[in-house]
Amino acid sequence: MIDIDAYNGSSSTPGDVVHASPTPSTVSYHMPLRRGLLDVGIFKDTILPSLQLHVPLAVVAYGVGRATDSVEAKDWLWPIAPMLNGWWSAVGRKVYRRGLTFRQAFGTLSRPERLLLTGVTLWGGRLFYRIASRSIRRRRREQGRDDPRYAVQKREEGEGFWDRALFTLFLPEALVQTVISLPVTAPFHHQGAVLTGYHPAVQALAVGLFCAGFALEVLADVQLERFKASARDATSVCKEGVWSLVRHPNYLGDALVHLSFPLLLYGSDMLAPVEVLGGLANYVFLRRVGGDRLTERHQARRYSESQPEKFADFQRRRETHNAFWPAADVWTNQWLWVVLGAGAAGALVEHVLQYMF
């Protein structure tokens, strides 16, 4: 895409004051969808810049993980890398390459672009805190240096695990992160096709979807930690609060958050076809690779070996509750309305703040 300063026929110096822009800091144009998807320039302008960040970070995480015998190092990177990529793409490049101050660079961003950065920062910050606090707590209790799921994986794969891990775990996840990050990075790089016009109602829906998903994640974290601290954790799985909706409300919330990013772009006349892949890739990863399937495989093994009563409860829950998407009878569950209310409230607050500042 084209820098907005060049588009306006002006330039900024470090001493200038750059006010908030009513238009995106990059310029898009309309073209047929098929051409936009197959445009070779998309790889150069969107995917390649992200690869140049994610791959080196994955190599560093691999080095740290190998030195500490902790595969979990890649999990620490998972929320950090998209945040760094988003902020670098939107602000850091302008500070580094054009000599703008942080305030000037941030001031060139439009409202939708600021919403994107806010969203990925909130998502990444919550997830990083969750992963880091869980890891630190486990180490303090001397319950192992690595996530139990990875400890089993290392034991099963045996000798040579770390010789293969860079190519079987760390670099593949860097590639996945590159695609998942597209909605929060590509709009600041790519000059290409967009799919629609400007729709404020869709913007509001996107903000509401993000807030609902984020609230679902936060509630799931808090309620699960409270349950694990109780005696019931020894004989049953968590079924209270938002955990009464589906078996993995945290993963559902994560999917909603990532789907809200391309939806926001769609309503802001900024969605290039390639950016749709971000939310879809995240959903596929959660469902087929590192989400509910991996978690339940580990839970089934662990409960069946050491907690037969909890394993029986786990099996019953699999028969009565969906893993990811709520069943039809969920409309009578009060926690559904709590989550939807959080989404509506978030959209309303953002709408009010838009006219106040």
Side-chain angles (χ1 to χ4, degrees):
M1 290 184 177
I2 305 169
D3 288 334
I4 196 66
D5 289 337
Y7 180 72
N8 289 335
S10 60
S11 60
S12 298
T13 63
D16 294 336
V17 177
V18 181
H19 298 285
S21 173
T23 58
S25 58
T26 50
V27 177
S28 302
Y29 56 89
H30 298 82
M31 66 163 52
L33 173 60
R34 184 174 179 273
R35 182 182 172 190
L37 285 172
L38 301 179
D39 187 358
V40 176
I42 289 177
F43 177 82
K44 179 181 178 181
D45 296 339
T46 62
I47 297 178
L48 185 59
S50 289
L51 280 175
Q52 291 172 338
L53 174 67
H54 287 285
V55 170
L57 288 176
V59 173
V60 171
Y62 168 76
V64 172
R66 181 161 190 160
T68 59
D69 192 30
S70 175
V71 183
E72 196 175 34
K74 70 179 183 63
D75 292 347
W76 286 58
L77 179 62
W78 186 265
I80 294 176
M83 281 196 299
L84 290 177
N85 200 351
W87 279 95
W88 168 255
S89 299
V91 177
R93 292 186 308 131
K94 297 175 183 178
V95 173
Y96 178 72
R97 296 176 181 175
R98 293 165 50 190
L100 300 182
T101 66
F102 176 86
R103 181 179 179 183
Q104 288 173 333
F106 189 78
T108 64
L109 302 180
S110 65
R111 168 177 162 262
E113 291 171 333
R114 294 185 181 189
L115 288 175
L116 283 176
L117 285 185
T118 301
V120 73
T121 302
L122 289 174
W123 167 81
R126 182 212 66 84
L127 185 56
F128 178 77
Y129 172 79
R130 172 71 175 164
I131 293 171
S133 60
R134 182 178 60 194
S135 178
I136 293 172
R137 183 168 58 250
R138 186 181 62 248
R139 290 172 182 247
R140 285 179 176 175
R141 295 175 180 176
E142 299 182 351
Q143 296 175 335
R145 291 186 299 176
D146 209 349
D147 188 299
R149 297 172 297 176
Y150 301 138
V152 171
Q153 184 177 1
K154 287 185 291 186
R155 187 166 58 249
E156 289 180 343
E157 296 192 20
E159 186 178 355
F161 169 83
W162 280 109
D163 294 334
R164 300 183 298 270
L166 176 63
F167 303 100
T168 59
L169 290 174
F170 287 79
L171 288 181
E173 287 201 6
L175 297 178
V176 173
Q177 282 184 329
T178 297
V179 178
I180 290 176
S181 301
L182 282 174
V184 296
T185 58
F188 306 105
H189 289 279
H190 176 238
Q191 177 187 353
V194 292
L195 298 181
T196 184
Y198 184 78
H199 300 292
V202 177
Q203 289 182 334
L205 179 61
V207 173
L209 185 64
F210 173 88
C211 292
F214 189 74
L216 189 56
E217 289 185 290
V218 172
L219 287 170
D221 289 347
V222 172
Q223 292 167 353
L224 183 60
E225 288 302 315
R226 185 184 304 149
F227 178 81
K228 287 185 174 182
S230 69
R232 293 170 295 165
D233 183 52
T235 58
S236 63
V237 296
C238 184
K239 299 183 287 289
E240 59 189 34
V242 295
W243 293 87
S244 63
L245 298 172
V246 291
R247 300 201 303 269
H248 300 282
N250 49 342
Y251 294 141
L252 174 58
D254 190 90
L256 296 180
V257 164
H258 281 273
L259 290 173
S260 74
F261 296 146
L263 186 63
L264 176 64
L265 294 173
Y266 178 84
S268 306
D269 199 22
M270 296 170 58
L271 180 64
V274 70
E275 292 152 9
V276 177
L277 298 177
L280 296 178
N282 184 67
Y283 177 76
V284 171
F285 186 86
L286 288 174
R287 298 308 315 275
R288 303 301 179 187
V289 183
D292 60 282
R293 178 174 293 188
L294 177 64
T295 298
E296 292 200 349
R297 187 186 307 133
H298 171 71
Q299 289 175 326
R301 175 182 299 170
R302 181 158 56 95
Y303 298 160
S304 63
E305 292 175 352
S306 59
Q307 297 172 286
E309 191 173 351
K310 188 170 186 176
F311 178 67
D313 189 56
F314 170 75
Q315 292 288 73
R316 287 192 296 269
R317 180 163 171 76
R318 295 181 74 174
E319 296 174 357
T320 59
H321 287 74
N322 292 342
F324 202 88
W325 296 109
D329 60 359
V330 77
W331 295 105
T332 60
N333 190 314
Q334 65 173 348
W335 286 100
L336 172 67
W337 299 104
V338 170
V339 172
L340 293 178
L348 178 61
V349 169
E350 193 281 326
H351 184 72
V352 172
L353 291 177
Q354 175 187 354
Y355 289 99
M356 290 180 59
F357 301 99

